[in-house]
Amino acid sequence: MVVDQSPRLDRVFHALAHPARRAIIRQLSGGERNLSELASPLRMTFPAATKHVRVLERADLVRRRVVGRQHLCRLRAAPLRDATLWTEQFRRNWEARFRALDELLDEMKSEEQPRSRRR
Amino acid sequence: MHPSGLQVSTPTDTTIVLTRTFNAPRRLVWEAMFTPDRMRRWMLPPPGWTTTVCECEARVGGALRVAWKSEEADPAMTLQGVFTEVVLHERAVHTERMALGSGQTIGSLLETHEFTEKDGVTTMRITQAYDSKEARDGAIASGMDQGMEACYERLDTLLARPA
C-alpha cells in the first residue's frame, strides 16, 4: 500500500525553511543540548527558542525530554535521510503539471459530451 | 487535492518512475499528452519563460520538439526526441534530449509511457531511464530551488558526521 507522505514532508520542509531552525539542527548534530544552550548562540530568548524547537518536534526532527528544570533536546536524523524527501521537490514540480492536465482533461470531457449525445 | 496524487519512485540507480491516475479515459489522456495544442496547456515552463516551439508526432519515427525562450535567451532550452515504439492509447516510448540554448546537452533519457484504463479512470506510468546514475540524480536535483539545495548540502555535511 502506498501511503501519502505529503503532510509529514510538509512539516519537514516547513521546519527546514527557517535559518534559526537549521542552526538548531546544526548545534544538535554535536549531541544533546538543553534549550538555553541552544538559545544563547542564536541570541534568542528562551520562549523564542522553545517555539522553534516545537516546530522541529512536530516534524519529528527533534525529541525533547525534561530532566528537572532542564529541557534536553536531541536530533532525530531519520526524516532527513528519508529518500522521499530527496525526490519531493521533483514530485511537486510534476504534480503541478499534472494538476494542469486534470483541468485540461475535464475540459476535453465536456467538449466531447454534446458530440456523444448526438450519436 | 487529487484522490491519488503523483507517486515518484526510483526502482533502480538510473530510473525514475512517475505514476498518476486521471479521471478520464485513456484515449483523452493520450491526446492530452501527445497533441501539441494540448501539451502547451500542461507543460508549464519555468516562471518568466514561454514555449516557442511545440511539435509532437506520436508514431514510430515521429519527432518530439519543444523549445522555450526566456528574457535573456531564445531558445533558452530545447527538448528533442524521436518515438521508437507506439501502441495507440497504450504505450509510447521516445528518446529525449534536453539542451541549453547554446546546444549543450544537459540530459538524455528514454521515456516510456504506459496507459491503463479501469472504470473510466486512467493510470499513466512514466518510466524515465537515464544514461547514468549521475544524470538521474541531476534530473531530480534540478527540481529543487537553490535555497533548498544549499540547505540540503548543509544537512548532508552535517549528517555525514557521526551523531
Side-chain angles (χ1 to χ4, degrees), chain A residues 16 18-31 56 61-62 74-81, chain B residues 149-163:
Chain A
L16 296 177
H18 198 290
R21 292 194 286 271
R22 293 200 292 271
I24 290 174
I25 290 180
R26 198 157 52 231
Q27 289 185 73
L28 291 177
S29 70
L56 291 165
L61 291 168
V62 164
R74 68 186 163 83
L75 181 66
R76 250 183 58 79
L80 297 173
R81 292 203 180 98
Chain B
E149 207 163 355
C151 170
Y152 284 135
E153 272 164 19
R154 206 173 313 172
L155 288 165
D156 280 343
T157 326
L158 181 159
L159 291 165
R161 275 187 254 149

Side-chain angles (χ1 to χ4, degrees), chain A residues 87 90-95 97-98, chain B residues 5-11 15-22 109 111-114 123-130 140:
Chain A
T87 56
F90 177 88
R91 194 192 72 81
R92 286 175 193 214
N93 293 344
W94 273 92
E95 179 62 8
R97 290 174 150 198
F98 289 148
Chain B
L6 172 63
Q7 305 290 339
V8 173
S9 62
T10 50
T15 53
I16 306 173
V17 175
L18 299 94
T19 310
R20 176 72 149 72
T21 61
F22 297 93
L109 59 134
E111 199 164 82
T112 301
H113 298 74
E114 291 159 298
T123 301
M124 178 171 68
R125 185 182 145 100
I126 300 178
T127 305
Q128 300 182 331
Y130 293 83
I140 292 175

Side-chain angles (χ1 to χ4, degrees), chain A residues 2 95 102 107 109 112, chain B residues 6-7 20 23 27 41 143:
Chain A
V2 183
E95 179 62 8
D102 283 333
E107 277 180 36
K109 278 195 289 183
E112 281 208 330
Chain B
L6 172 63
Q7 305 290 339
R20 176 72 149 72
N23 195 15
R27 179 176 49 83
R41 290 280 306 277

Side-chain angles (χ1 to χ4, degrees), chain A residues 15 21 24-26 28-29 33 35 38 52-65 71-80:
Chain A
R21 292 194 286 271
I24 290 174
I25 290 180
R26 198 157 52 231
L28 291 177
S29 70
R33 299 271 189 280
L35 260 174
L38 290 175
H52 284 303
V53 165
R54 281 213 188 104
V55 175
L56 291 165
E57 279 182 303
R58 275 201 288 274
D60 203 23
L61 291 168
V62 164
R63 289 275 165 85
R64 177 162 41 158
R65 63 192 179 103
H71 286 234
L72 294 167
C73 302
R74 68 186 163 83
L75 181 66
R76 250 183 58 79
L80 297 173

Side-chain angles (χ1 to χ4, degrees), chain B residues 28-42:
Chain B
L28 290 186
V29 181
W30 176 281
E31 189 189 323
M33 288 301 292
F34 302 126
T35 311
D37 286 350
R38 308 290 197 190
M39 288 163 73
R40 284 173 182 267
R41 290 280 306 277
W42 63 265

Side-chain angles (χ1 to χ4, degrees), chain A residues 96-107:
Chain A
R97 290 174 150 198
F98 289 148
R99 297 249 168 107
L101 186 51
D102 283 333
E103 259 181 54
L104 170 63
L105 288 166
D106 283 344
E107 277 180 36

Side-chain angles (χ1 to χ4, degrees), chain B residues 1 57 73 76 79 91 93 129 137-138:
Chain B
M1 182 76 192
E57 211 184 336
L79 184 161
R91 182 182 160 86
V93 183
D137 290 354

Side-chain angles (χ1 to χ4, degrees), chain B residues 88-121:
Chain B
L88 188 66
H89 304 159
E90 265 183 47
R91 182 182 160 86
V93 183
H94 64 73
T95 59
E96 187 173 311
R97 176 176 165 269
M98 299 279 287
L100 297 172
S102 60
Q104 191 199 333
T105 303
I106 49 171
S108 59
L109 59 134
L110 191 70
E111 199 164 82
T112 301
H113 298 74
E114 291 159 298
F115 304 83
T116 48
E117 184 184 328
K118 200 182 172 223
D119 302 326
V121 174

